[in-house]
Amino acid sequence: MPQQLCPLCVPGFGQSRNYRSNTRPGLQQSGCNQVRNYFVCGVGIDLEFLAQRLADEEKQLPQDKRSELGLLEKLEFVLNNNFERLTYAEAIEILKESNHNKKKKFQYLITGWGMDLQSEHERYLVEKHFKKPVILYNYPKEIKAFYMRQNEDGKTVAAMDILAPGIGEIVGGSQREERLDKLETRMKEMNVPTEELWWYLDTRRFGTVPHAGFGLGFERMVQFVTGMTNIRDVIAFPRTPKNAEF
């Protein structure tokens, strides 16, 4: 979310208060007070309301589409369980051999290596098979971005996703390719124009270090915590391609 929009969300934390201060610490203290006050005083009531809303919404779904966990159970599920770690290859084998796949209950059937996992597959691993949050790693390079670091097997990249109940992927990340020759080769394989990304290649050409990054989608986190089924319901400011006015 752009920094300019963040202050517009603060009133949602409760009663606003202004302090007569022109200093950065004063501004920081004010913001922290609002957030702390919200979580101490208001979050319990909100969670009860959201849990009931989700339960009422679930009743309108067919039995096989309903979640086995309520909203509070989903949050406790992540809080109280260790995270299961396994490779993409292991996950594909589990999904392929599952009764869910054999009985064609998946909308997208798992046929083998190289498939891009859908939310239904991720949720199956979390909610049905392991019954705990899951971390998948070492994805096929064909389904990931060119800048992800290639593993020594030549087939996979050092990427990972964290999967949560009710939503699937909530965090995604990878180690970045710091080797210039590997990066250029991969860009050519994927038809990524090197002439347009000369500046990116220069960051490798003139020296870098092994590094990685990950992202937690703010709206996905809000969607998970609130139990909203459609991510459009938690977008604070609607946005679509080519509509920015400023």
Side-chain angles (χ1 to χ4, degrees), residues 211-230:
H211 58 286
F214 69 91
L216 166 63
F218 179 76
E219 285 91 355
R220 284 190 184 185
M221 182 184 68
V222 174
Q223 183 184 12
F224 173 64
V225 173
T226 61
M228 291 293 180
T229 54
N230 194 320

Side-chain angles (χ1 to χ4, degrees), residues 72-181:
L72 297 181
E73 287 78 15
K74 289 178 184 176
L75 300 178
E76 292 170 351
F77 182 95
V78 173
L79 180 64
N80 297 328
N81 285 298
N82 293 325
F83 285 48
E84 185 72 26
R85 293 171 172 83
L86 70 157
T87 65
Y88 167 91
E90 293 170 327
I92 281 290
E93 193 63 27
I94 291 172
L95 292 167
K96 184 179 179 181
E97 298 301 320
S98 68
N99 287 332
H100 220 71
N101 195 58
K102 292 178 178 178
K103 293 181 179 180
K104 299 184 178 181
K105 291 185 178 181
F106 286 134
Q107 182 179 355
Y108 298 94
L109 296 179
I110 297 294
T111 57
W113 170 271
M115 293 189 63
D116 201 354
L117 298 183
Q118 305 296 317
S119 177
E120 60 176 342
H121 307 133
E122 298 168 341
R123 291 185 58 185
Y124 177 87
L125 292 170
V126 172
E127 300 169 25
K128 303 290 186 181
H129 187 81
F130 291 109
K131 298 185 184 299
K132 60 176 67 174
V134 171
I135 301 176
L136 292 185
Y137 62 95
N138 287 353
Y139 281 82
K141 66 180 184 180
E142 284 78 11
I143 62 174
K144 290 297 182 179
F146 72 91
Y147 53 76
M148 295 186 179
R149 195 181 201 277
Q150 299 178 57
N151 291 324
E152 297 306 318
D153 59 14
K155 297 170 52 181
T156 62
V157 291
M160 71 88 193
D161 289 331
I162 299 178
L163 315 180
I167 190 172
E169 179 197 341
I170 193 169
V171 175
S174 72
Q175 183 175 346
R176 308 317 197 214
E177 183 60 81
E178 82 281 3
R179 299 165 295 185
L180 178 61
D181 58 335

Side-chain angles (χ1 to χ4, degrees), residues 13 32-46:
F13 289 132
C32 289
N33 282 341
Q34 297 303 322
V35 176
R36 183 170 61 247
N37 180 67
Y38 172 76
F39 282 103
V40 169
C41 302
V43 71
I45 298 174
D46 285 349

